[in-house]
């Protein structure tokens, strides 16, 4: 992450590429978990609350690690299992989150803290994933970006989850696209291609912005442009210990930005430029 | 229409029913064409522009009637043809609008005005359906309603059309649902049922609001609640010369409102009531 943050995204060369990159783009597509919202602290806060209710001192249970394991269960499912056999995994993330939670809490490592959890506690925690806070650079930037481009979500979260989250975190999407619509999870090419089809556009008029190289690879694989934004601990251990590079630097993405505000600046500059 | 406007929607009995109606509702679903936006004058204006460009005096050509015939072609296709054999009609409304336009302009009645139209003219007019203005009671009401309920579009328009229209007319949907997602057109039950599924809810927690009895029947058929709003010439000749009645009055819909402002008032009253 720290290496990625040092990307020379504000150097003149990158600026020029960014102008070309955004020139013919109609649609900005955003990954959600980790890229737009901070799932880690948002969910950990709610897990800690449930723990406290059952008398667990947060100093004893490493709830941050619990939430990371929950998220890892999701990542393993959608990046491997769902790609090999889509019918083997639920197409609704709420249901998948519940299955992974049920497996996690019976593990010896956690069972001493979680054995007294009720049905109500578990349901509350599954829906904690609907109540995630946006990273601080997101909301005002999306409102600006929306003036110039179509701004949509594309996530492995189900529609209701993404809709609740948008209302909770004030995310002003023009509309929401979910893997749930396509019976396939990112990075399955179907998800990106069907999104393009529903937008009545072509892949090269779309940019996917997100914090995960595996997602960027999926989007680039169907011809979309890609912007990478490093977020704390988000793309670790993928790729292991390496920074994400632009194509111009020998890497895989079209652009690396430090914040959503960078993207607003580039879109505005490009818009002015296109009027000259 | 004038009869429907005389519905006693503001009488105490209806108010009480409205409170019960909205009590357990999470989602307000809105029909778009005619219900939320005024397609008739919006599209006629653009047709008239194209006509003028080709030297046609608007006093000679009845463009309002031309647009009505275009719309009738759509209604006949989705209400009869698409229900009998979904595979026989395109699942994208832009494509259907273009097919109907191509058939319309070669008719002797119109060909004298339209024979010089270019490919560019025809494309512009198909996309006129993306640039529709909202009825004056809509936008501020949707912003209010959104504070209390989930507020979504459900239309036979394709996703890109609905998305462009939302941006053009400032419609603040939480998300957009389109028949295009389901390979079926309203009033096919599949469209309403799949919308409910994607909202992770149940039909009775959803209200469909719109200006067409055939749409309300489709929604009620799967268990949704229905609110009817009369709009000028919108539900004529369906039903022929009769006003739309609520179930309490022996009709088919749960409630008849005069404007979106009525709906805001009822939702707010119900919200206060639910806190007592």
């Amino acid at each position: 992450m720290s290496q990625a943050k040092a990307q020379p995204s504000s150097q003149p060369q990158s600026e020029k590429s960014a102008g070309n990159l955004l020139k013919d783009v109609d649609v900005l597509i955003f990954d959600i978990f980790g890229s737009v919202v901070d799932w880690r602290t948002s969910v950990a806060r709610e897990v800690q609350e449930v723990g406290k209710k059952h008398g667990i001192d947060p100093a004893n249970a490493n709830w941050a690690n619990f939430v990371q394991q929950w998220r890892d269960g999701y990542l393993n499912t959608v990046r491997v299992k769902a790609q090999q056999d889509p019918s083997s995994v639920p197409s609704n993330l709420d249901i998948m989150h519940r299955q992974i939670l049920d497996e996690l809490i019976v593990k010896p490592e956690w069972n001493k803290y979680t054995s007294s959890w009720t049905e109500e506690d578990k349901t509350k925690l599954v829906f904690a994933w609907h109540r995630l806070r946006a990273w601080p650079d997101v909301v005002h930037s999306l409102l600006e970006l929306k003036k110039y481009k179509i701004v949509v979500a594309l996530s492995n979260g189900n529609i209701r989850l993404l809709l609740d989250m948008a209302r909770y975190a004030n995310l002003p999407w023009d509309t929401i696209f979910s893997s749930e619509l396509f019976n396939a999870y990112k990075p399955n090419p179907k998800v990106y291609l069907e999104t393009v089809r529903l937008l009545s556009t072509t892949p090269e008029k779309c940019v996917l912005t997100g914090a995960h190289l595996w997602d960027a690879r999926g989007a680039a694989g169907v011809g979309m442009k890609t912007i990478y934004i490093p977020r704390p601990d988000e793309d670790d251990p993928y790729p292991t210990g390496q920074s994400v590079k632009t194509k111009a630097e020998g890497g895989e993405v079209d652009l690396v930005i430090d914040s959503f505000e960078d993207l607003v600046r580039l879109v505005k500059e490009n818009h002015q430029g296109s009027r000259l």
Side-chain angles (χ1 to χ4, degrees), chain A residues 35-93:
Chain A
S35 305
V36 159
V37 292
D38 171 13
W39 57 269
R40 195 171 271 108
T41 60
S42 303
V43 178
R45 194 182 65 243
E46 297 211 30
V47 175
Q48 188 175 309
E49 276 171 24
V50 169
K52 270 188 183 167
K53 207 183 77 175
H54 291 273
I56 307 300
D57 186 335
N60 294 331
N62 187 343
W63 292 129
N65 186 244
F66 180 86
V67 174
Q68 185 66 55
Q69 288 184 23
W70 197 357
R71 176 72 176 168
D72 288 346
Y74 153 81
L75 288 171
N76 290 335
T77 305
V78 300
R79 280 203 307 235
V80 181
K81 220 169 142 194
Q83 309 309 317
Q84 288 166 352
D85 179 11
S87 67
S88 70
V89 298
S91 65
N92 179 304
L93 184 57

Side-chain angles (χ1 to χ4, degrees), chain A residues 125-190:
Chain A
L125 290 182
V126 165
F127 284 93
W129 293 91
H130 295 221
R131 294 182 291 266
L132 307 184
R133 288 179 290 201
W135 292 111
D137 56 332
V138 167
V139 176
H140 62 282
S141 299
L142 288 179
L143 286 167
E144 279 301 302
L145 292 168
K146 202 176 171 179
K147 295 177 187 169
Y148 303 92
K149 307 284 184 187
I150 291 170
V151 168
V152 301
L154 177 60
S155 169
N156 283 338
N158 48 299
I159 288 279
R160 179 62 182 262
L161 177 153
L162 295 168
L163 192 159
D164 285 346
M165 189 197 297
R167 290 172 62 88
Y168 184 83
N170 295 311
L171 306 171
W173 307 120
D174 283 317
T175 197
I176 291 168
F177 293 102
S178 162
S179 60
E180 188 186 25
L181 299 170
F182 313 124
N183 282 315
Y185 282 103
K186 293 194 288 182
N188 187 322
K190 191 180 170 191

